[in-house]
Amino acid sequence: MIAIILSALALVAITVLIHVLSMALLVRWMAALGRNRVQHLNFWPLIWLFVRIVWALLFSHSTQISVWGWFYLWKGVMQDWEAALYFSGITYTTIGYGDLLLDPPWRIMATIEGLTGIVMCSLSAAFFFSVMVQLFLHRQMNNDSTDVQKHASWHRGD
């Protein structure tokens, strides 16, 4: 049982590493886009930006799910890759249909993977929300400063 828990903790560390690296790459990619360029996106380009962010986050989560699935297959607790990936996916996302189960000594793995998935999905949601808030706040501040400049020039008679 201790070896199983230690394995699960190692998988948690790998999962966090993958997630943090993915988010760091997303931050770097967004910085490369340039703040001014992103702030001035119209509706559809902004939607396209959000779609690409979600795709990147889903790719990260899929990679993490695959790592857990690979572990289940490697240890022989799932009969094939499809079952291992499916079980990992429904466990990580906490759907948990119950149509596939691990043997009793391994069930703690599912609990730890589920908790890890909740935390990683929460981090993704927080990241996505943060990006949205920053973009909308910067757009609002730019609109407000433009309105102030227009108002000031109108009073001066420009």
Side-chain angles (χ1 to χ4, degrees):
M1 181 66 123
I2 300 237
I4 293 171
I5 292 172
L6 290 175
S7 296
L9 293 177
L11 286 169
V12 169
I14 293 167
T15 301
V16 171
L17 177 66
I18 292 168
H19 201 73
V20 168
L21 288 173
S22 299
M23 290 192 356
L25 288 171
L26 264 173
V27 167
R28 179 174 274 185
W29 172 71
M30 290 193 63
L33 287 177
R35 182 176 283 182
N36 285 335
R37 183 173 160 214
V38 172
Q39 288 172 359
H40 293 95
L41 291 176
N42 294 327
F43 181 76
W44 289 112
L46 196 58
I47 295 298
W48 177 235
L49 174 69
F50 290 141
V51 166
R52 289 181 291 169
I53 291 170
V54 169
W55 283 349
L57 291 170
L58 289 176
F59 180 77
S60 175
H61 289 290
S62 297
T63 303
Q64 296 162 53
I65 288 167
S66 297
V67 167
W68 286 81
W70 173 83
F71 181 83
Y72 295 135
L73 187 62
W74 177 56
K75 288 298 187 178
V77 296
M78 285 288 150
Q79 65 273 17
D80 58 38
W81 174 243
E82 183 182 353
L85 192 60
Y86 170 76
F87 177 80
S88 181
I90 62 171
T91 302
Y92 182 95
T93 59
T94 68
I95 295 170
Y97 290 126
D99 53 344
L100 291 178
L101 296 173
L102 298 177
D103 291 333
W106 290 95
R107 289 186 185 166
I108 190 71
M109 291 288 288
T111 303
I112 295 171
E113 183 182 5
L115 289 170
T116 304
I118 290 170
V119 173
M120 296 303 107
C121 289
S122 298
L123 284 172
S124 289
F127 176 81
F128 190 78
F129 183 75
S130 175
V131 168
M132 290 182 73
V133 166
Q134 287 217 339
L135 287 174
F136 290 125
L137 283 177
H138 285 295
R139 289 182 86 152
Q140 186 63 41
M141 287 174 32
N142 284 343
N143 288 341
D144 289 348
S145 65
T146 304
D147 291 344
V148 169
Q149 289 171 353
K150 286 179 186 175
H151 185 69
S153 66
W154 180 77
H155 278 295
R156 288 193 310 259
D158 292 346

